[in-house]
Amino acid sequence: QVQLVESGGDSVQAGGSLRLACVASGSDLRLSAMAWYYKPPGQEREFVARITDMGTREYADFVRGRFTVSGDPGKNTMYLQMNSLKPEDSGLFRCKVEGRRGFLPVVYWGQGTQVSVHS
């Protein structure tokens, strides 16, 4: 059984900050990458940021300079520091992990944590 737990979502005023966390657990789980996606109300899910076990970080253009992804997939932990939040950042933020369980490649998604930014 693999479990992903996201936390840190909240309702904040525009310009504020939040820090999201994603922690994965499961037997024989080795993660190579962890990523954040978000789904604004009524829109499609979008990529936000990603970190690999080699330390490589990627960002969507709309968050670059405002959001910072950190953590260590090798330790099943990822964070997202979100600064200068805008109302359009509101949505359900979900964690996606990639790796292996034993010899099998796996991908898992968390249930998400809700972020609401009001002006």
Side-chain angles (χ1 to χ4, degrees):
Q1 188 81 359
V2 173
Q3 188 175 21
L4 297 184
V5 178
E6 300 109 322
S7 62
D10 204 344
S11 179
V12 297
Q13 200 164 15
S17 299
L18 285 174
R19 187 175 189 245
L20 307 183
C22 174
V23 179
S25 61
S27 61
D28 207 19
L29 181 65
R30 293 189 176 188
L31 300 180
S32 56
M34 301 177 75
W36 288 103
Y37 286 74
Y38 95 121
K39 187 180 184 303
Q43 299 183 41
E44 297 295 315
R45 184 173 62 206
E46 292 187 54
F47 168 77
V48 176
R50 182 174 183 260
I51 186 168
T52 72
D53 57 353
M54 300 300 290
T56 303
R57 305 180 191 192
E58 302 172 49
Y59 296 96
D61 288 342
F62 75 95
V63 304
R64 193 171 287 114
R66 298 189 298 126
F67 292 8
T68 301
V69 64
S70 64
D72 185 353
K75 296 181 179 179
N76 297 353
T77 304
M78 174 179 64
Y79 304 98
L80 186 68
Q81 179 66 42
M82 305 189 296
N83 298 329
S84 302
L85 282 162
K86 305 175 182 180
E88 51 265 41
D89 295 325
S90 299
L92 182 67
F93 280 72
R94 297 180 69 186
C95 173
K96 174 188 175 185
V97 303
E98 304 165 33
R100 290 185 175 273
R101 285 195 81 189
F103 297 102
L104 295 176
V106 293
V107 176
Y108 295 104
W109 288 87
Q111 294 297 308
T113 184
Q114 190 70 39
V115 171
S116 178
V117 185
H118 52 87
S119 55

